[in-house]
Amino acid sequence: MVDPLSIHQQLHHCINANKQNSLCIILSHFEKISDSLTGYLIRFFEKKQNDRIHFIFLSNERPDDYLPSSLGKYIPIAVKLKDFSERPKEEREGIIVELFRKEAASLHVHMLICSNVLKTLSNFQPNQNVEEIFKKVKLICAQAISNQKSDTVTIHTYYLPEEMFESLEISSENISYIDCDTYTKSSKISQFDELFTSVIKLCVKKESNLIEKYRSIYDLIVETIMSTSRNEQTLKGTEATLALIVNQVAKKHFINIPGNFTFVVAKLMYIYEENESMFKQREDKEKVNIEAALNKVKRMYVSEAMIANEIKSLCMSNLEKEIPGIVQLIMILTIAAYNVELNKNKTFGVIICHGYSTASSMAAAVNSLIGSYIFDSIDMPVTTTMEEIRATLRDKLSRVNAYADLCIMVDMGSLENIADEEFTKNRNVALINNVTTKMALDIGYKIKNGDPIDRYFIDADKNYKVDYAILKGKKKDVILFTSESGLQTSQRMADLFADSFPEEIPVDLRAVPFDSLIDDINELQQMYNILFITGTDNPLISDVVFIPLEDIVTTTNLDLVSSKLNMYLDDNNLKQLIINIRTNFSLMNVLNYLTILNPKPLMDETTIAVEDLQKRRHVELEGRTLVGIYIHVCILVERLVTKTGMIREDSATEAFVKEHGDFIEDIKASFGNIEKHYSIQIPDSEMKYIYSFIYRED
């Protein structure tokens, strides 16, 4: 370990003394690097003196803020670690125990830590990150050692610095003592992670008895939760408020809720908050599967999903807490498991009447007679305008399952002015006027029994005089993003595209797996109207427009992008969208966004390699193809470094190797520096892909 505050001669001596060995040199506090050390490192890298010497630079500041580009270009990978307070609870505790263990080793003692001390330190939010925690640990150990009476030192709560007692969490738990030498991280979080994965997999699979299989998983979730502590003060407050919310919603919707439901949801929210970064990372990785699972259960369990969404909205309004997607999934399935009859209802009903309580009284009476929550209500004074009614209806629908059909019953007025295409995205809408309690009761029973929406009005002219209309649902527009490099790259492209919109529009941006896109396209087309697909490789789907990423980078096909979005954006916003795309999708920005590697040196090496390959192959690639191969090679290097998303070798690869040995030799010669710099080897399957990229037909 060499401190860069020392003169660079120490580093020079260290390297010379280990010329024959592989050596990893770690420079701490790199933000304090001196000019002389900067110059020495640049000269060392320029001369490429020793390939067996590797460097790791540790910095407390962003390298871009102080590091000259002349040195930065030699650093291929930059990794930002989260601050102490942003890390998962298990990781924070692990760091603290390790700091105590190191202190115990230096003092030659055996050390036990009070559980209160571990909890308080792990919840502490230091201004100077881990360094401040380290100072606290040393101070605590110094106090403990002064009272040492044996080879075992116990770190008690009263050894904490005075200022930390203010943040001490009052608990009725029994105090325990953790042995630094035998400490292991709790397995509870990994248990929850496995249970969450089981729920997601169950929902994504085509299971005929989904609820029956879910019941056994729910029992395991309850069992795991009950075996953990339930004394957290934050949890108690959340559980109490959540109980009020759930009871209110249960009474309103005439549903059964298991006795442990409130505590289970509160505890899962608490666990998620305590380990947010870990679960967030997992959610990002499993984003497509979680969305697929949620979309599936929302289509299967329409009423249950609406009820869970109402609980979620009330939780945000009253607790200012978001219920994570996986917990929403568990809520929907639990409500479905305990309310079998509820699942027949696939329609959201709303009664709209002029007056101060006409609609709410009618809805309450009908719901009570049916014994189920079928109709919501909107009471409107006589002076209310049509636009105000539509705004209130729009607000209610924003909290309703997007897959639920809609039955609107009004007392008077023009049906056409209440609902239009805005309300028919992804759903069918029934519009009925001259509503009466008898009519609402009749149609309410049909909704409860799960009758199709177009059967609501059979014999309606005999039973009551009514005007009605059926508006067929319109599928939501979507843009799909895909990459052979994996789902993470696809999601980064979608995020970059989302940042380019000048205003929010009702178009979904979905990252989809490249390998399974052809198999999944029929299901996606049933759910969405696909505007176009964009990505780093063409999935070859005949009836859907594909715009290569290199076309967006070179602004070749932006008119096509505009034409697909002109129904949502006016001319000024379309122009701004194009400007934003040109800015966000510049080649360097795309590479910076799509890869974890340092883009500047990576792009420099790639440019040199591709130019050399063109000379060897006697070809001159045009701008669009050139940009495409730059992007592909840069992402390829990241995949090889991280060992993810590799193209599998097949019989076509074997044939390629036999037929194009000269091309393989040229690739090895041109890309030799990249392979050496990043310690990678380009496989034959990837060489075949580069060959097809260069020589492909338009």
Side-chain angles (χ1 to χ4, degrees):
M1 182 72 77
V2 180
D3 190 333
L5 287 171
S6 304
I7 56 175
H8 69 265
Q9 281 85 353
Q10 291 184 32
L11 180 59
H12 182 68
H13 175 74
C14 178
I15 291 172
N16 286 339
N18 292 274
K19 281 185 177 179
Q20 304 305 316
N21 303 320
S22 292
L23 183 66
C24 180
I25 299 175
I26 302 174
L27 299 180
S28 62
H29 289 289
F30 200 54
E31 72 278 3
K32 298 178 181 178
I33 186 171
S34 63
D35 291 340
S36 60
L37 182 54
T38 300
Y40 175 79
L41 289 172
I42 291 172
R43 290 192 297 275
F44 179 85
F45 292 134
E46 283 176 346
K47 293 177 182 178
K48 300 180 181 177
Q49 294 173 341
N50 192 336
D51 291 339
R52 303 173 80 177
I53 304 293
H54 302 281
F55 288 89
I56 296 176
F57 304 126
L58 306 179
S59 173
N60 287 329
E61 298 175 13
R62 283 169 46 88
D64 294 345
D65 294 339
Y66 64 85
L67 199 64
S69 58
S70 53
L71 177 56
K73 68 181 181 180
Y74 293 110
I75 303 175
I77 300 175
V79 180
K80 182 186 183 300
L81 299 179
K82 290 184 179 293
D83 289 342
F84 178 81
S85 56
E86 294 174 342
R87 300 189 185 196
K89 180 184 178 184
E90 299 294 326
E91 188 177 339
R92 297 197 306 268
E93 289 186 352
I95 290 171
I96 291 162
V97 172
E98 180 61 17
L99 291 175
F100 275 112
R101 191 193 64 76
K102 286 185 176 180
E103 280 298 295
S106 67
L107 296 168
H108 306 291
V109 295
H110 178 231
M111 194 169 284
L112 302 176
I113 311 169
C114 172
S115 55
N116 271 355
V117 174
L118 185 58
K119 187 189 295 184
T120 304
L121 283 171
S122 66
N123 292 334
F124 181 61
Q125 296 191 344
N127 296 321
Q128 299 172 4
N129 216 357
V130 180
E131 210 168 305
E132 187 173 347
I133 294 288
F134 181 55
K135 291 175 183 175
K136 301 282 187 195
V137 168
K138 287 184 80 70
L139 182 63
I140 291 168
C141 288
Q143 280 192 281
I145 285 292
S146 65
N147 295 312
Q148 178 188 1
K149 295 179 181 178
S150 68
D151 291 339
T152 298
V153 174
T154 303
I155 306 297
H156 294 288
T157 307
Y158 48 78
Y159 290 143
L160 285 168
E162 269 187 50
E163 66 273 12
M164 300 194 76
F165 280 98
E166 295 177 6
S167 58
L168 188 66
E169 190 175 296
I170 305 302
S171 172
S172 57
E173 288 181 62
N174 291 327
I175 286 176
S176 59
Y177 293 90
I178 297 103
D179 189 324
C180 289
D181 295 329
T182 60
Y183 169 82
T184 56
K185 290 184 181 180
S186 169
S187 61
K188 290 295 180 188
I189 301 305
S190 58
Q191 283 181 265
F192 283 115
D193 198 40
E194 288 171 11
L195 290 168
F196 290 166
T197 301
S198 300
V199 173
I200 294 166
K201 284 182 178 177
L202 178 66
C203 294
V204 172
K205 287 180 183 176
K206 294 179 180 177
E207 296 283 356
S208 55
N209 53 345
L210 188 151
I211 289 299
E212 283 304 312
K213 291 188 175 180
Y214 168 74
R215 284 178 185 273
S216 60
I217 298 176
Y218 181 74
D219 290 341
L220 283 174
I221 291 173
V222 173
E223 185 181 324
T224 307
I225 284 175
M226 292 306 178
S227 66
T228 61
S229 166
R230 53 183 295 162
N231 291 320
E232 297 92 345
Q233 292 299 316
T234 306
L235 174 60
K236 287 181 178 178
T238 301
E239 184 185 358
T241 307
L242 195 59
L244 295 174
I245 291 171
V246 170
N247 288 338
Q248 177 183 314
V249 172
K251 286 179 183 177
K252 175 182 173 182
H253 290 273
F254 301 91
I255 60 170
N256 299 314
I257 294 290
N260 55 21
F261 179 83
T262 301
F263 177 68
V264 168
V265 173
K267 182 68 176 181
L268 291 177
M269 288 170 64
Y270 178 80
I271 290 167
Y272 189 94
E273 286 173 16
E274 282 295 295
N275 303 275
E276 186 173 8
S277 59
M278 187 192 79
F279 284 120
K280 198 75 176 167
Q281 187 178 14
R282 187 189 173 287
E283 262 192 9
D284 291 343
K285 191 177 179 182
E286 291 285 327
K287 186 173 182 180
V288 172
N289 285 335
I290 292 172
E291 283 185 0
L294 270 170
N295 288 335
K296 180 179 176 181
V297 298
K298 283 179 179 178
R299 288 195 300 272
M300 290 177 66
Y301 305 106
V302 173
S303 296
E304 294 86 338
M306 285 193 288
I307 293 168
N309 197 56
E310 187 172 344
I311 294 172
K312 174 192 167 189
S313 297
L314 288 170
C315 192
M316 176 56 76
S317 302
N318 294 277
L319 283 169
E320 296 186 56
K321 289 189 177 183
E322 184 72 46
I323 298 180
I326 182 63
V327 181
Q328 291 177 48
L329 197 59
I330 290 168
M331 286 167 58
I332 294 169
L333 293 172
T334 305
I335 294 169
Y338 284 83
N339 300 272
V340 179
E341 289 298 313
L342 196 62
N343 188 39
K344 292 180 180 178
N345 181 6
K346 304 288 186 185
T347 302
F348 175 72
V350 59
I351 298 173
I352 304 175
C353 295
H354 290 85
Y356 289 98
S357 62
T358 310
S360 55
S361 298
M362 188 184 297
V366 171
N367 290 340
S368 180
L369 289 167
I370 295 174
S372 182
Y373 188 83
I374 303 296
F375 290 107
D376 204 329
S377 60
I378 300 176
D379 292 305
M380 290 291 167
V382 178
T383 55
T384 306
T385 65
M386 192 62 64
E387 186 51 44
E388 288 174 320
I389 296 175
R390 292 178 77 249
T392 305
L393 181 59
R394 188 183 301 118
D395 180 62
K396 282 189 179 292
L397 292 183
S398 68
R399 299 190 291 273
V400 170
N401 188 340
Y403 297 101
D405 288 338
L406 178 63
C407 179
I408 305 174
M409 308 184 78
V410 300
D411 59 346
M412 60 181 178
S414 173
L415 296 174
E416 292 78 15
N417 291 334
I418 292 178
D420 54 21
E421 285 189 2
E422 176 188 354
F423 298 107
T424 58
K425 291 174 182 176
N426 293 332
R427 59 160 62 95
N428 301 310
V429 179
L431 302 165
I432 314 163
N433 71 0
N434 301 325
V435 63
T436 63
T437 304
K438 181 179 184 299
M439 181 198 304
L441 189 63
D442 179 44
I443 290 178
Y445 274 115
K446 290 177 179 178
I447 291 174
K448 183 182 179 183
N449 293 332
D451 290 0
I453 197 167
D454 50 6
R455 293 181 61 84
Y456 292 174
F457 311 107
I458 293 176
D459 297 329
D461 56 337
K462 296 178 184 178
N463 296 331
Y464 33 76
K465 177 62 179 173
V466 58
D467 295 329
Y468 68 87
I470 301 289
L471 305 179
K472 289 297 182 181
K474 178 185 174 184
K475 290 185 285 189
K476 191 167 186 179
D477 289 337
V478 69
I479 300 171
L480 302 182
F481 297 81
T482 190
S483 172
E484 77 283 4
S485 301
L487 204 56
Q488 194 172 22
T489 302
S490 306
Q491 187 58 53
R492 289 170 184 165
M493 285 191 287
D495 293 341
L496 197 57
F497 203 89
D499 288 342
S500 302
F501 283 120
E503 62 180 31
E504 191 173 335
I505 63 172
V507 174
D508 275 4
L509 305 179
R510 287 200 60 174
V512 291
F514 181 82
D515 293 340
S516 60
L517 183 54
I518 293 176
D519 296 330
D520 297 340
I521 194 66
N522 289 333
E523 185 178 347
L524 287 167
Q525 286 177 320
Q526 288 175 5
M527 293 169 56
Y528 297 102
N529 173 41
I530 302 174
L531 297 179
F532 60 86
I533 301 173
T534 184
T536 57
D537 193 22
N538 192 345
L540 301 177
I541 296 171
S542 57
D543 56 343
V544 181
V545 174
F546 176 74
I547 302 176
L549 178 60
E550 58 264 29
D551 280 10
I552 294 177
V553 172
T554 57
T555 67
T556 305
N557 254 328
L558 293 189
D559 287 344
L560 180 56
V561 174
S562 296
S563 68
K564 294 290 184 179
L565 297 170
N566 59 13
M567 69 185 81
Y568 296 109
L569 298 170
D570 57 27
D571 289 343
N572 289 333
N573 279 326
L574 279 173
K575 288 177 183 176
Q576 189 59 50
L577 171 66
I578 299 304
I579 291 169
N580 294 347
I581 287 176
R582 284 185 175 133
T583 302
N584 290 345
F585 282 85
S586 64
L587 183 56
M588 283 304 296
N589 200 40
V590 166
L591 293 178
N592 191 38
Y593 215 81
L594 297 190
T595 175
I596 63 168
L597 303 178
N598 195 338
K600 179 72 170 64
L602 176 59
M603 187 60 197
D604 290 344
E605 293 280 0
T606 301
T607 303
I608 293 168
V610 172
E611 285 181 0
D612 186 70
L613 183 63
Q614 289 180 88
K615 290 175 184 177
R616 291 175 185 274
R617 303 303 300 172
H618 306 291
V619 297
E620 189 172 340
L621 301 176
E622 49 94 11
R624 178 172 168 272
T625 304
L626 200 59
V627 169
I629 201 167
Y630 284 157
I631 293 171
H632 176 76
V633 170
C634 289
I635 293 175
L636 164 64
V637 173
E638 182 196 40
R639 285 190 284 126
L640 291 171
V641 169
T642 59
K643 296 179 174 60
T644 57
M646 302 308 301
I647 298 175
R648 291 187 293 272
E649 298 201 0
D650 51 20
S651 57
T653 305
E654 294 176 9
F656 168 78
V657 172
K658 291 178 182 178
E659 294 174 18
H660 299 286
D662 58 333
F663 183 81
I664 291 172
E665 290 301 319
D666 288 342
I667 283 280
K668 287 180 177 178
S670 299
F671 286 78
N673 282 339
I674 287 182
E675 289 185 322
K676 187 176 180 182
H677 188 69
Y678 290 95
S679 300
I680 60 172
Q681 186 173 357
I682 300 175
D684 295 337
S685 56
E686 297 288 353
M687 293 188 193
K688 177 171 71 74
Y689 186 91
I690 294 172
Y691 181 89
S692 65
F693 203 100
I694 293 174
Y695 293 105
R696 67 185 176 182
E697 297 276 334
D698 278 346

